[in-house]
Amino acid sequence: MLKIQKKKLITIFYGNDSDEEIKIDNLKIKDEIFNYLKEKLSKLEYSRKKPSVLKHAKAPLFAILFVSGIFLWTFYLASQIAKGYEYEIAGGKQGIGSLILGMAQFGTTKVILGYLLILSIAFFSLIKKLKNRSLTEYLNRN
């Protein structure tokens, strides 16, 4: 499969996980190369489409879900600590639990501010990725 985007990139997929990216700075030359390949490889099926929103938004959405889970856990512990509960890490192993407990020590307002900061970065990344969706042309072998 040969894939060309409006960016300055031609990607050739050879098989399972094997691909090669060719970066061409001049868009006119890139289009000429793709049209030449389209003519010479006439047995391949040509198609054009925009990648789906889910494909482009998968990484930022996963980050938002992960950060939200960590926030909920941290916020719960911070609110319990504010009520007077005491927690300690048992077993001597330092892992994600000790990191969450350490962040919960900052208090609920700082935990919320930190979450909003990280969430705004993730949303900015999501919006940027969705704006950069471009029409992609494909040459596929049937």
Side-chain angles (χ1 to χ4, degrees), residues 54-105:
L54 184 61
K55 182 177 180 182
H56 266 64
K58 191 185 307 182
L61 286 176
F62 180 74
I64 290 169
L65 288 174
F66 181 76
V67 168
S68 296
I70 296 292
F71 164 73
L72 290 173
W73 187 10
T74 307
F75 185 74
Y76 173 76
L77 287 176
S79 65
Q80 293 298 322
I81 290 171
K83 291 179 184 176
Y85 290 96
E86 293 183 10
Y87 292 94
E88 73 178 58
I89 302 297
K93 281 194 169 182
Q94 296 177 351
I96 187 104
S98 61
L99 179 67
I100 300 298
L101 187 57
M103 289 190 305
Q105 297 295 324

Side-chain angles (χ1 to χ4, degrees), residues 59-72 110-128:
L61 286 176
F62 180 74
I64 290 169
L65 288 174
F66 181 76
V67 168
S68 296
I70 296 292
F71 164 73
L72 290 173
K110 289 183 182 174
V111 168
I112 291 172
L113 290 175
Y115 172 68
L116 291 177
L117 176 70
I118 293 172
L119 193 65
S120 65
I121 292 170
F123 272 119
F124 177 74
S125 172
L126 177 65
I127 291 168
K128 186 176 176 184

Side-chain angles (χ1 to χ4, degrees), residues 25-70:
D25 290 332
N26 190 335
L27 290 175
K28 186 176 178 180
I29 293 173
K30 181 191 68 140
D31 289 337
E32 287 178 17
I33 291 171
F34 187 74
N35 289 331
Y36 175 79
L37 290 171
K38 190 167 47 170
E39 288 175 18
K40 290 297 181 186
L41 303 172
S42 60
K43 293 181 181 180
L44 297 179
E45 180 183 316
Y46 172 74
S47 63
R48 297 170 59 160
K49 61 182 174 182
K50 261 193 178 182
S52 69
V53 173
L54 184 61
K55 182 177 180 182
H56 266 64
K58 191 185 307 182
L61 286 176
F62 180 74
I64 290 169
L65 288 174
F66 181 76
V67 168
S68 296
I70 296 292

